Amino acid sequence: MKTIITTVLLMTASILTQAQSKVPVISKEETAVNAGIEKLRVAMIAGDKAGLESVLGKELYYTHSNGHIETREQFIKAISTKKSDFVKIDLVHPSVKFLLEGEIALARHILVADTNDGGVPRHIFLGIVQIWKKEKGDWKMISRSSFHVPEEDAH
């Protein structure tokens, strides 16, 4: 009986150890990049110029799904004046990967959003790839590209 109990306890401990080892560890840097992504999302909805300026690198290239490219200044103006009006933004299937000894972060997600550009409501699904660069200890987005994805990929 003792052998059976010991075996069961060892198997349980082994299973719990394996389950714990599969829990992803989120680094301090990944947490910081994710905080930047969230700050950008909130600033886009609010049209918050200062919030946008705080997370966007000076050399930003913001590429829309139709191929149109905006500079940092053009993007900030479009969002802060509500020419590009995001009413709601959800980000699904996020991932962050670090490159070049942790100085560059590649962030990907699917953006599910309600917009109201020019008074025309739309519901959009876009794949997003962002490049974030560490500048003086802070993470700044320096590039963003988007592409259309089917609605079923956003769930």
Side-chain angles (χ1 to χ4, degrees):
M1 184 68 174
K2 284 184 180 182
T3 304
I4 293 173
I5 293 173
T6 302
T7 302
V8 169
L9 287 174
L10 287 173
M11 287 175 54
T12 303
S14 174
I15 290 169
L16 289 174
T17 301
Q18 288 176 4
Q20 288 177 349
S21 68
K22 292 181 183 181
V23 174
V25 176
I26 298 177
S27 71
K28 175 182 167 189
E29 295 302 328
E30 187 172 349
T31 299
V33 171
N34 284 329
I37 293 168
E38 177 61 10
K39 190 171 185 179
L40 174 64
R41 185 189 75 80
V42 170
M44 288 174 67
I45 294 167
D48 178 7
K49 184 177 179 182
L52 294 168
E53 289 172 340
S54 74
V55 295
L56 300 177
K58 301 281 186 218
E59 66 275 16
L60 175 70
Y61 282 95
Y62 190 94
T63 307
H64 293 269
S65 60
N66 65 2
H68 177 70
I69 298 173
E70 291 177 327
T71 64
R72 179 181 193 263
E73 292 74 23
Q74 291 167 328
F75 173 68
I76 290 171
K77 183 177 180 182
I79 295 293
S80 63
T81 63
K82 294 292 191 172
K83 177 181 177 189
S84 183
D85 186 5
F86 285 89
V87 177
K88 179 182 177 188
I89 300 173
D90 291 316
L91 306 176
V92 296
H93 307 304
S95 71
V96 175
K97 180 179 180 179
F98 291 91
L99 308 168
L100 300 175
E101 298 179 16
E103 293 301 310
I104 298 290
L106 179 64
R108 298 181 301 166
H109 53 261
I110 294 177
L111 177 143
V112 180
D114 293 326
T115 63
N116 196 30
D117 299 354
V120 179
R122 290 181 54 212
H123 190 65
I124 59 174
F125 303 90
L126 297 174
I128 305 291
V129 178
Q130 298 172 337
I131 300 174
W132 291 74
K133 180 180 176 187
K134 198 167 190 180
E135 296 179 355
K136 298 179 184 176
D138 292 325
W139 287 97
K140 305 287 183 181
M141 187 176 77
I142 60 169
S143 181
R144 183 263 197 192
S145 296
S146 65
F147 51 92
H148 293 280
V149 296
E151 182 177 350
E152 59 269 13
D153 289 353
H155 301 288

mmCIF file of all heavy atoms in Angstrom, residues 92-93 110-112 124-127 147-155:
data_model
loop_
_atom_site.group_PDB
_atom_site.id
_atom_site.type_symbol
_atom_site.label_atom_id
_atom_site.label_comp_id
_atom_site.label_asym_id
_atom_site.label_seq_id
_atom_site.Cartn_x
_atom_site.Cartn_y
_atom_site.Cartn_z
ATOM 1 N N VAL A 92 -5.767 40.632 -30.415
ATOM 2 C CA VAL A 92 -5.832 39.199 -30.122
ATOM 3 C C VAL A 92 -4.621 38.484 -30.703
ATOM 4 O O VAL A 92 -3.986 38.966 -31.639
ATOM 5 C CB VAL A 92 -7.148 38.571 -30.638
ATOM 6 C CG1 VAL A 92 -8.347 39.166 -29.922
ATOM 7 C CG2 VAL A 92 -7.310 38.737 -32.132
ATOM 8 N N HIS A 93 -4.319 37.338 -30.140
ATOM 9 C CA HIS A 93 -3.177 36.496 -30.535
ATOM 10 C C HIS A 93 -1.859 37.265 -30.507
ATOM 11 O O HIS A 93 -1.101 37.263 -31.475
ATOM 12 C CB HIS A 93 -3.402 35.866 -31.910
ATOM 13 C CG HIS A 93 -4.689 35.133 -32.056
ATOM 14 N ND1 HIS A 93 -5.067 34.109 -31.211
ATOM 15 C CD2 HIS A 93 -5.711 35.289 -32.925
ATOM 16 C CE1 HIS A 93 -6.251 33.663 -31.573
ATOM 17 N NE2 HIS A 93 -6.672 34.358 -32.597
ATOM 18 N N ILE A 110 -3.435 40.464 -33.931
ATOM 19 C CA ILE A 110 -4.543 40.778 -34.832
ATOM 20 C C ILE A 110 -5.354 41.880 -34.167
ATOM 21 O O ILE A 110 -5.702 41.795 -32.990
ATOM 22 C CB ILE A 110 -5.396 39.541 -35.129
ATOM 23 C CG1 ILE A 110 -4.558 38.531 -35.922
ATOM 24 C CG2 ILE A 110 -6.651 39.928 -35.908
ATOM 25 C CD1 ILE A 110 -5.248 37.234 -36.236
ATOM 26 N N LEU A 111 -5.582 42.939 -34.928
ATOM 27 C CA LEU A 111 -6.350 44.074 -34.453
ATOM 28 C C LEU A 111 -7.791 43.896 -34.921
ATOM 29 O O LEU A 111 -8.045 43.720 -36.109
ATOM 30 C CB LEU A 111 -5.756 45.364 -35.030
ATOM 31 C CG LEU A 111 -6.472 46.668 -34.707
ATOM 32 C CD1 LEU A 111 -5.425 47.762 -34.505
ATOM 33 C CD2 LEU A 111 -7.406 47.073 -35.814
ATOM 34 N N VAL A 112 -8.694 43.905 -33.962
ATOM 35 C CA VAL A 112 -10.132 43.867 -34.250
ATOM 36 C C VAL A 112 -10.659 45.209 -33.758
ATOM 37 O O VAL A 112 -10.541 45.522 -32.571
ATOM 38 C CB VAL A 112 -10.825 42.699 -33.518
ATOM 39 C CG1 VAL A 112 -12.312 42.688 -33.825
ATOM 40 C CG2 VAL A 112 -10.174 41.368 -33.890
ATOM 41 N N ILE A 124 -13.221 46.235 -38.542
ATOM 42 C CA ILE A 124 -12.076 45.754 -39.312
ATOM 43 C C ILE A 124 -11.292 44.669 -38.576
ATOM 44 O O ILE A 124 -11.292 44.612 -37.345
ATOM 45 C CB ILE A 124 -11.125 46.907 -39.701
ATOM 46 C CG1 ILE A 124 -10.594 47.635 -38.459
ATOM 47 C CG2 ILE A 124 -11.817 47.888 -40.644
ATOM 48 C CD1 ILE A 124 -9.541 48.682 -38.739
ATOM 49 N N PHE A 125 -10.623 43.838 -39.367
ATOM 50 C CA PHE A 125 -9.752 42.776 -38.877
ATOM 51 C C PHE A 125 -8.430 42.913 -39.624
ATOM 52 O O PHE A 125 -8.394 42.757 -40.845
ATOM 53 C CB PHE A 125 -10.349 41.394 -39.168
ATOM 54 C CG PHE A 125 -11.718 41.198 -38.589
ATOM 55 C CD1 PHE A 125 -12.851 41.522 -39.322
ATOM 56 C CD2 PHE A 125 -11.876 40.706 -37.303
ATOM 57 C CE1 PHE A 125 -14.122 41.351 -38.795
ATOM 58 C CE2 PHE A 125 -13.152 40.540 -36.764
ATOM 59 C CZ PHE A 125 -14.270 40.858 -37.516
ATOM 60 N N LEU A 126 -7.357 43.225 -38.887
ATOM 61 C CA LEU A 126 -6.062 43.424 -39.524
ATOM 62 C C LEU A 126 -4.972 42.655 -38.783
ATOM 63 O O LEU A 126 -4.925 42.666 -37.551
ATOM 64 C CB LEU A 126 -5.674 44.915 -39.527
ATOM 65 C CG LEU A 126 -6.571 45.869 -40.296
ATOM 66 C CD1 LEU A 126 -6.121 47.308 -40.051
ATOM 67 C CD2 LEU A 126 -6.564 45.542 -41.776
ATOM 68 N N GLY A 127 -4.112 42.030 -39.539
ATOM 69 C CA GLY A 127 -2.881 41.500 -38.972
ATOM 70 C C GLY A 127 -1.924 42.665 -38.813
ATOM 71 O O GLY A 127 -1.827 43.517 -39.699
ATOM 72 N N PHE A 147 -2.139 44.191 -42.587
ATOM 73 C CA PHE A 147 -2.671 43.454 -43.729
ATOM 74 C C PHE A 147 -4.023 42.883 -43.342
ATOM 75 O O PHE A 147 -4.289 42.640 -42.163
ATOM 76 C CB PHE A 147 -1.702 42.342 -44.164
ATOM 77 C CG PHE A 147 -1.246 41.453 -43.030
ATOM 78 C CD1 PHE A 147 -1.933 40.296 -42.718
ATOM 79 C CD2 PHE A 147 -0.140 41.802 -42.261
ATOM 80 C CE1 PHE A 147 -1.523 39.484 -41.666
ATOM 81 C CE2 PHE A 147 0.274 41.000 -41.208
ATOM 82 C CZ PHE A 147 -0.412 39.840 -40.910
ATOM 83 N N HIS A 148 -4.867 42.716 -44.319
ATOM 84 C CA HIS A 148 -6.210 42.183 -44.056
ATOM 85 C C HIS A 148 -6.140 40.708 -43.692
ATOM 86 O O HIS A 148 -5.352 39.962 -44.267
ATOM 87 C CB HIS A 148 -7.115 42.373 -45.272
ATOM 88 C CG HIS A 148 -7.406 43.813 -45.551
ATOM 89 N ND1 HIS A 148 -8.358 44.527 -44.857
ATOM 90 C CD2 HIS A 148 -6.841 44.691 -46.415
ATOM 91 C CE1 HIS A 148 -8.380 45.764 -45.295
ATOM 92 N NE2 HIS A 148 -7.469 45.902 -46.238
ATOM 93 N N VAL A 149 -6.950 40.313 -42.731
ATOM 94 C CA VAL A 149 -7.068 38.907 -42.343
ATOM 95 C C VAL A 149 -8.565 38.545 -42.327
ATOM 96 O O VAL A 149 -9.399 39.405 -42.069
ATOM 97 C CB VAL A 149 -6.447 38.597 -40.964
ATOM 98 C CG1 VAL A 149 -4.957 38.840 -40.976
ATOM 99 C CG2 VAL A 149 -7.112 39.380 -39.858
ATOM 100 N N PRO A 150 -8.861 37.282 -42.592
ATOM 101 C CA PRO A 150 -10.273 36.876 -42.509
ATOM 102 C C PRO A 150 -10.771 36.955 -41.059
ATOM 103 O O PRO A 150 -10.002 36.780 -40.112
ATOM 104 C CB PRO A 150 -10.253 35.399 -42.963
ATOM 105 C CG PRO A 150 -8.921 35.190 -43.607
ATOM 106 C CD PRO A 150 -7.992 36.221 -43.045
ATOM 107 N N GLU A 151 -12.050 37.223 -40.920
ATOM 108 C CA GLU A 151 -12.634 37.363 -39.583
ATOM 109 C C GLU A 151 -12.386 36.136 -38.731
ATOM 110 O O GLU A 151 -12.115 36.254 -37.523
ATOM 111 C CB GLU A 151 -14.132 37.614 -39.699
ATOM 112 C CG GLU A 151 -14.823 37.820 -38.379
ATOM 113 C CD GLU A 151 -16.305 38.143 -38.493
ATOM 114 O OE1 GLU A 151 -16.782 38.394 -39.611
ATOM 115 O OE2 GLU A 151 -16.980 38.137 -37.456
ATOM 116 N N GLU A 152 -12.420 34.948 -39.293
ATOM 117 C CA GLU A 152 -12.238 33.726 -38.496
ATOM 118 C C GLU A 152 -10.843 33.632 -37.887
ATOM 119 O O GLU A 152 -10.652 32.952 -36.883
ATOM 120 C CB GLU A 152 -12.574 32.458 -39.300
ATOM 121 C CG GLU A 152 -11.763 32.264 -40.549
ATOM 122 C CD GLU A 152 -12.398 32.870 -41.808
ATOM 123 O OE1 GLU A 152 -13.360 33.651 -41.696
ATOM 124 O OE2 GLU A 152 -11.927 32.565 -42.891
ATOM 125 N N ASP A 153 -9.848 34.316 -38.450
ATOM 126 C CA ASP A 153 -8.494 34.314 -37.873
ATOM 127 C C ASP A 153 -8.410 35.180 -36.620
ATOM 128 O O ASP A 153 -7.444 35.111 -35.870
ATOM 129 C CB ASP A 153 -7.458 34.808 -38.881
ATOM 130 C CG ASP A 153 -7.219 33.798 -39.995
ATOM 131 O OD1 ASP A 153 -7.755 32.669 -39.910
ATOM 132 O OD2 ASP A 153 -6.515 34.152 -40.957
ATOM 133 N N ALA A 154 -9.409 36.006 -36.391
ATOM 134 C CA ALA A 154 -9.396 36.923 -35.255
ATOM 135 C C ALA A 154 -10.038 36.325 -34.013
ATOM 136 O O ALA A 154 -10.216 37.018 -33.020
ATOM 137 C CB ALA A 154 -10.121 38.219 -35.643
ATOM 138 N N HIS A 155 -10.362 35.065 -34.050
ATOM 139 C CA HIS A 155 -11.005 34.437 -32.885
ATOM 140 C C HIS A 155 -10.132 33.364 -32.294
ATOM 141 O O HIS A 155 -9.232 32.884 -32.798
ATOM 142 C CB HIS A 155 -12.360 33.848 -33.275
ATOM 143 C CG HIS A 155 -13.301 34.888 -33.830
ATOM 144 N ND1 HIS A 155 -13.890 35.860 -33.054
ATOM 145 C CD2 HIS A 155 -13.712 35.144 -35.098
ATOM 146 C CE1 HIS A 155 -14.640 36.635 -33.802
ATOM 147 N NE2 HIS A 155 -14.540 36.228 -35.052
#
